[in-house]
């Protein structure tokens, strides 16, 4: 499996360099913002850091989804099948790669969030908690969509991904146009409510979410192993 992980690093090194640039930009922003405006309120800094988390995680999501395409060849599949325990190693390397990459990026973000907190002198626990939730959401999305990518190939599997994102976007848009937004109050009050909800009202979320996510992630891996051979019908020669 380590050989397959190393292959993925070499195959996608150009994309990784572009990811480093994007992540570096937002990491720099988390430090520059409190330096440029030392009087940033706690909720304003939390908002900046939360936006950085979303932007970085979306960038990571696009990269991780693309690591399957390079291996979608019938010749490569035949080689993997003929190797000792090849399917388990092939699929496992993808799951390990994505999980490790997401966790590494999240930890780097967390270090810079802590630095921003020290510079600004305010509490950024809300931003850190949101970052952790974004991490688990990222892994959950990987767990849901990967079996489809394995079964139908990245091109056809993306159809499911686009439909899911389209439905979610449509739901949020419809609620934004016709729903009652007054329940959220001002942005500042909403962030204060969210912080209280995550730290006081529902602290059990932080105990259950990681465990549930890793279980689903492992089950997704087992499903993908069983679907790998069927996906060959959609691969190039």
């Amino acid at each position: 499996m380590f050989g397959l992980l190393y292959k993925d690093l070499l195959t996608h090194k150009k994309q990784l360099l572009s990811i480093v640039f994007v992540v570096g930009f937002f990491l720099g922003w988390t430090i520059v913002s409190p330096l440029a405006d030392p009087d940033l309120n706690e909720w304003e800094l939390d908002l900046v850091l939360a936006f950085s988390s979303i932007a970085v995680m979306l960038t990571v999501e696009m990269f991780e989804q693309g690591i399957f395409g390079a291996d979608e060849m019938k010749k490569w599949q035949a080689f993997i099948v003929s190797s000792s325990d090849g399917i388990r190693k092939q699929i496992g390397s993808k799951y390990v790669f994505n999980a490790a990459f997401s966790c590494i990026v999240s930890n780097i973000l967390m270090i810079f969030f802590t630095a921003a907190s020290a510079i600004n002198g305010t509490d950024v626990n809300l931003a850190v908690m949101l970052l952790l939730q974004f991490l688990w959401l990222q892994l959950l999305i990987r767990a849901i969509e990967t079996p489809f990518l394995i079964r139908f190939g990245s091109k056809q599997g993306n159809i499911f991904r686009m439909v899911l994102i389209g439905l979610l976007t449509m739901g949020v848009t419809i609620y934004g146009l016709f729903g009652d937004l007054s329940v959220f109050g001002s942005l500042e009050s909403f962030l204060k409510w969210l912080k209280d909800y995550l730290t006081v009202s529902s602290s059990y979320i932080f105990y259950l979410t990681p465990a549930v996510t890793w279980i689903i992630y492992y089950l997704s891996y087992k499903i993908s192993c069983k679907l790998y051979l069927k996906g060959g019908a959609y691969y190039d020669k």
Side-chain angles (χ1 to χ4, degrees):
M1 183 183 295
F2 291 105
L4 292 172
L5 288 170
Y6 182 65
K7 177 193 72 69
D8 285 334
L9 285 174
L10 293 180
T11 303
H12 302 284
K13 60 183 179 181
K14 292 183 178 180
Q15 294 92 325
L16 279 170
L17 289 175
S18 63
I19 294 293
V20 169
F21 174 79
V22 173
V23 173
F25 171 81
F26 284 101
L27 289 176
W29 189 29
T30 63
I31 300 299
V32 170
S33 295
L35 285 175
D37 187 359
D39 297 324
L40 275 177
N41 293 324
E42 181 179 308
W43 72 271
E44 291 174 321
L45 182 59
D46 278 332
L47 190 62
V48 170
L49 301 184
F51 180 78
S52 298
S53 298
I54 294 172
V56 169
M57 285 302 182
L58 285 176
T59 305
V60 169
E61 192 273 339
M62 288 186 289
F63 168 75
E64 291 179 351
Q65 188 275 333
I67 71 168
F68 297 93
D71 291 345
E72 291 179 354
M73 297 179 292
K74 292 184 183 297
K75 291 182 179 179
W76 177 256
Q77 186 185 53
F79 168 74
I80 288 298
V81 173
S82 64
S83 303
S84 176
D85 210 11
I87 294 178
R88 185 183 65 83
K89 293 177 181 177
Q90 167 72 9
I91 301 300
S93 67
K94 304 301 182 185
Y95 276 80
V96 170
F97 185 95
N98 282 342
F101 190 66
S102 293
C103 290
I104 290 171
V105 171
S106 297
N107 278 282
I108 294 174
L109 275 172
M110 201 172 302
I111 292 172
F112 275 77
F113 285 7
T114 303
S117 173
I119 293 170
N120 189 255
T122 57
D123 181 16
V124 293
N125 282 338
L126 175 59
V128 172
M129 289 183 291
L130 287 175
L131 173 61
L132 290 174
Q133 294 306 306
F134 290 146
L135 170 62
W136 304 127
L137 178 62
Q138 175 89 318
L139 293 176
L140 184 60
I141 292 173
R142 293 279 78 73
I144 294 173
E145 74 175 13
T146 298
F148 288 90
L149 298 175
I150 296 296
R151 175 61 179 83
F152 300 106
S154 58
K155 294 180 181 179
Q156 287 75 15
N158 266 331
I159 297 175
F160 166 78
R161 181 169 170 265
M162 289 186 292
V163 170
L164 180 61
I165 293 176
L167 290 174
L168 291 174
T169 303
M170 184 184 300
V172 172
T173 302
I174 292 175
Y175 186 84
L177 291 173
F178 305 105
D180 182 13
L181 300 179
S182 62
V183 296
F184 298 107
S186 66
L187 182 58
E188 181 180 1
S189 62
F190 172 71
L191 289 174
K192 289 181 178 178
W193 170 83
L194 184 61
K195 182 176 183 179
D196 178 69
Y197 179 80
L198 292 175
T199 57
V200 181
S201 303
S202 301
S203 58
Y204 62 87
I205 290 178
F206 292 99
Y207 297 101
L208 293 179
T209 303
V212 171
T213 302
W214 286 122
I215 290 172
I216 295 175
Y217 199 74
Y218 177 75
L219 292 175
S220 174
Y221 155 73
K222 299 295 287 186
I223 293 172
S224 293
C225 287
K226 294 183 179 297
L227 297 176
Y228 180 66
L229 288 176
K230 296 181 180 180
Y234 298 89
Y235 293 171
D236 295 328
K237 293 184 178 181

